[in-house]
Structures are given as structure tokens and as C-alpha cells.
Amino acid sequence: MAFFRPGERLFVGRGDEEVEKFAQFGRQRPGQVLAVDPREGLLGGPTLSRRQLDVLCTGDALEVVNINTCRAYFNGKEALRGVLRPGDTVMLRNEVVLLCVLRPRELPPLPPGCELHPFGEPDPDGIVGESPAAWRMRDQLARAARGEDHVLILGESGTGKELAAAAVQKRSSRARGPFVSRNAATFSPALIASELFGNPANYPNPGMQARKGLIGTAHGGTFFLDEVGECPPEAQAQLLRVMDAGEYQGVGEATVRHVDLRFLAATNRDPSWFRPDFFARFPVCIRLPPLRERPEDIPLLARRLLARPELRFSVRFVDELLRHPLPLNARELYAIVTASAGESKGEKLEWPASVPKGATATAAMATAASAAGAQSAREPRAASRDAGPGGVPSREELLACLEREDWNVARVARRLGISRDAVNRLIKKYGIERKPAK
């Protein structure tokens, strides 16, 4: 990255004897000033000129003029000049793409307990990102880990809520204790109390097995309730006493049990969705930034999601990716990278034809799955006791529906007209794995 001060005019290119007139590119890390050797901080590339771009910082934008023969594309359109604001890109031929962002000239010091990992690589907690927002998130997680308060993690789908919860538990004093994780969307409404608090054998129905319950299993450690927004209000009310005093009763039991645990919860819902008294039990709230708030991390995360190390992204692909909508964040990004790897020929990945520019990858997959479903509906189809009106969904149909419903098995089952058990069996049968958000 290179910094521009308001009113400053610099050249971008391979440089000449007046090196002080050129933007110097380097890597910014926490607590470090961006110090670059003038002989090493210039842009390279066989087709780039010594003075390629003339850039003037006006304070809220960059006025850029292409002053040499290498073609420049401003937000994907060829032009001789353009005005760049945060989120805009300029690509020089197919060799380099530059992204305009707002950043402080110096990042805060490294959060206590954190390690300075190799630039662009996952940190020890698996989090990828070098943006100020990513380092601010690491600092918040480190602070939360040092305390004992219950923590609520807020964030859109695909922002890495599960990864953040695991980071808090890993760095906390309870790291050696159990880490019990459950997605609230998978609770059976009729059995939610038994699953949380346990029940004796043969209660409430004869033949029912005894359950220790998730709360009891988490004693001495951490209980992580993902998608807590799917937890019904009555279940939220039942958790209040546990969160306040560590007391609970198994279903059908009169004895009060005591438990020592810490609650971590995550949701993509607005906090107003919760009971006010339940939300008040989370004194620590951490909001995870979506990728649109840290666009400089998108190429780093895309590289991490690429399962085949022999492949690499073309500059044109990166340019398109930086300007593409990613409503599901890392999950949307993974869908694009996977589609590109499957369609591209050679070692350089290009933009996948199956994902129209400006359209989301999951929407494109859903459209393709619907078309495939309409075609297969006209053909004989095997019957199944788990199948709904449309029969057994194909792997593509199931995957598209899982992505569209953010892996909420209950909603997927309703949409496909099959049972939740059937959805889980098909996921296992087709070998579908949910990729972790970064």
C-alpha cells in the first residue's frame, strides 16, 4: 500500500532518478510506521512505464491521470483519467490492480496476547486480514478473552462468527475446559428444554433416554450458542437464571443444579429481536465487519479459500472481485472462487461464466439449480420415503438451497419439502461440507 496526503501529488510507476516524487508501496503492520526503501517500494512489471500514473490527492479522492502507453481501466472501463474514491479500482493492463481505501497512517499496537503472523496469512486463530477493521476485530476478541463476561458476537452471514467465538474460548482462562457448541436453529421445538438442561430416563415420555444436557456438559468451560436469534423467547427466558447464577433444573427434576460456564452467542439478527432481559445478559458485544468494510482483505481471503495452490488469480479476476457484491461475505467469496477454479483453464483463474458480473454467486447457483430441477422434473425420478413433492433433491439443488438459507437446516427442509433428518442424511451422502468463514 502507499499513502497520499491531502494536496500531495506523486507518480506511480517503475521510478526514475527523482525517486522522491514517486508513491512508495509497502506493508503496514500494527505499531509500525510504513517505512519503505525508496529503491524497493516502486511498482514493477515489464509493460509499466517509469512514470505511469500522475496522482493528486484532493483530500476525499484521488485524481488519477494515465500519462503513458500502458492502458488503464478505472472501475473496469478503459480511460485516460479518473477520480478514485474508497472502493474504486484502477487496473494497469493485466499486470496490477490498485484499490483506493481510507486507512490511518499507523495501526494501533499489537493486541496483548496476539502474535505477529506472516503478512496475509491466517493468524493462530485462523483469521485472515490486514485491514484496520481486521486488527480492530482481533483486539476486541483478545479483550473479550481476558474477561469472564458473557459475549454476544454480531455479524452478517459469512463474517466468521464461529471462528471469532473459537478465538475467544482459545485465548480465555477456560481454554482447557470443554467447548460445547450448538446451532440454535437445529433445536427441536418440543425438545429444546431437554437438550439444554437434560432430563432423567423415561421422562417426559417412556423409553426416552437420560440426557445430561448441553448446559451440564459445558461445566467448567464455554457454551457457544450459534444463531441464537433462532432461539425462541421462552428458551431465552429459561437461560436467564443460568447466565446470572449458574443454576438450572433438568426437565422433570426438582433438584437445583449448579454449573460454572461462560456463554458465547452469535447471531446475524438485529439485537431488537431478543428479549431485552436476555440481551442485557451480554455486557460484551462484538460486531464483526463485513467484507465491504475491509475490501483490501478480499484478495487475501480469496487466496486462502483457493484449495489448489498451483493456481493463481489473474489481475483481471482480482479487479472484478474487488468490485463484486458479496452479501454472504466469505461464503459468497468461496462460491466465486470455487466456480472459477472449476471453469478456468490453465493456472490463472478468470471470472467464472456461471456468475454474471454484478449478480451474487449464490443467486446464480440457485437459478442454475432451479433450471436443473425443472429439467429433472420432466424425467422419471426415484421415490424416497424422505422425499417431498419434488422427490429427492440433487446435490446441486441441495447445495444451492443450503447456501441460500445460510445452512439453516430447518428452513432448507421446509423449502425442499423433506424432513430435517433427510437433509442431514443427504448432506452426508453427497459429501457436502460447510466451509468455515474467515
Side-chain angles (χ1 to χ4, degrees):
M1 65 195 69
F3 287 100
F4 290 83
R5 296 184 176 88
E8 186 175 38
R9 185 179 222 121
L10 294 172
F11 294 110
V12 172
R14 292 191 292 114
D16 54 28
E17 63 279 358
E18 295 184 289
V19 70
E20 69 279 358
K21 295 183 178 181
F22 285 79
Q24 301 291 321
F25 290 84
R27 293 174 172 178
Q28 187 186 35
R29 308 308 301 273
Q32 300 176 2
V33 178
L34 188 66
V36 184
D37 187 329
R39 295 164 296 181
E40 299 178 357
L42 304 172
L43 288 185
T47 64
L48 300 185
S49 300
R50 295 183 182 277
R51 298 191 178 199
Q52 185 64 59
L53 301 177
D54 183 352
V55 183
L56 171 64
C57 179
T58 61
D60 60 347
L62 297 176
E63 295 182 358
V64 183
V65 181
N66 185 17
I67 57 177
N68 230 305
T69 57
C70 180
R71 293 180 177 180
Y73 298 82
F74 294 85
N75 290 325
K77 297 181 180 180
E78 184 177 356
L80 293 177
R81 62 178 64 234
V83 177
L84 300 182
R85 292 183 171 82
D88 291 338
T89 65
V90 56
M91 181 179 66
L92 298 175
R93 211 162 191 172
N94 197 19
E95 288 197 25
V96 63
V97 59
L98 303 175
L99 170 70
C100 180
V101 296
L102 284 174
R103 291 178 69 106
R105 296 191 70 88
E106 184 176 351
L107 294 177
L110 193 68
C114 291
E115 303 173 10
L116 198 59
H117 57 279
F119 186 90
E121 297 297 323
D123 65 17
D125 297 316
I127 299 173
V128 175
E130 298 293 341
S131 65
W135 283 106
R136 187 162 51 248
M137 174 176 62
R138 289 187 178 102
D139 181 64
Q140 291 176 315
L141 296 176
R143 291 175 184 274
R146 294 197 296 272
E148 279 291 318
D149 291 322
H150 304 312
V151 179
L152 179 62
I153 301 172
L154 305 173
E156 299 175 7
S157 175
T159 51
K161 296 184 290 294
E162 293 181 51
L163 204 61
V168 172
Q169 190 270 346
K170 177 182 175 182
R171 294 182 176 275
S172 73
S173 60
R174 298 175 178 269
R176 294 186 178 182
F179 182 61
V180 179
S181 175
R182 183 62 183 269
N183 189 315
T186 65
F187 281 130
S188 168
L191 300 175
I192 184 170
S194 293
E195 293 194 59
L196 283 172
F197 306 112
N199 60 266
N202 300 314
Y203 190 91
N205 300 314
M208 198 166 185
Q209 294 182 346
R211 297 180 190 228
K212 187 176 183 179
L214 296 169
I215 298 297
T217 305
H219 178 66
T222 305
F223 179 39
F224 173 49
L225 195 55
D226 196 9
E227 301 297 348
V228 69
E230 303 296 329
C231 205
E234 55 271 20
Q236 296 178 26
Q238 293 172 334
L239 290 170
L240 299 180
R241 190 178 177 189
V242 183
M243 299 176 72
D244 280 343
E247 297 179 349
Y248 73 102
Q249 291 174 269
V251 176
E253 294 181 344
T255 304
V256 176
R257 300 186 182 186
H258 296 271
V259 67
D260 173 29
L261 57 76
R262 186 187 194 188
F263 267 88
L264 303 180
T267 184
N268 57 14
R269 291 185 179 272
D270 187 273
S272 61
W273 179 264
F274 302 105
R275 289 173 53 110
D277 52 355
F278 181 67
F279 179 70
R281 264 62 176 190
F282 293 98
V284 178
C285 287
I286 299 175
R287 176 186 173 273
L288 303 188
L291 288 181
R292 64 178 175 275
E293 294 181 8
R294 52 186 189 116
E296 58 264 57
D297 292 334
I298 292 176
L300 303 177
L301 185 54
R303 185 181 64 183
R304 179 64 179 172
L305 293 173
L306 185 59
R308 298 169 59 185
E310 75 277 9
L311 300 179
R312 55 196 180 104
F313 302 113
S314 71
V315 174
R316 194 176 299 275
F317 175 92
V318 175
D319 183 45
E320 292 289 349
L321 188 61
L322 288 170
R323 294 182 285 105
H324 192 79
L326 298 170
L328 296 181
N329 297 285
R331 294 197 180 101
E332 188 80 29
L333 184 59
Y334 175 75
I336 294 172
V337 170
T338 302
S340 178
E343 297 178 24
S344 298
K345 298 178 180 179
E347 295 182 354
K348 276 193 176 183
L349 299 188
E350 300 294 344
W351 192 262
S354 60
V355 183
K357 295 175 182 178
T360 63
T362 48
M365 291 170 62
T367 301
S370 298
Q375 174 64 27
S376 61
R378 294 191 289 268
E379 300 173 355
R381 201 167 189 174
S384 168
R385 63 185 178 89
D386 290 320
V392 180
S394 68
R395 187 183 192 281
E396 291 72 23
E397 290 171 332
L398 179 59
L399 179 59
C401 195
L402 286 166
E403 294 288 352
R404 184 168 60 248
E405 297 297 342
D406 193 21
W407 281 75
N408 185 310
V409 174
R411 293 200 296 262
V412 170
R414 286 195 296 269
R415 181 175 290 274
L416 294 176
I418 59 179
S419 68
R420 289 193 299 178
D421 287 340
V423 172
N424 288 323
R425 283 196 294 272
L426 288 172
I427 290 173
K428 184 176 181 180
K429 174 184 176 181
Y430 292 146
I432 299 174
E433 295 183 1
R434 182 179 185 178
K435 297 299 179 181
K438 304 292 182 184

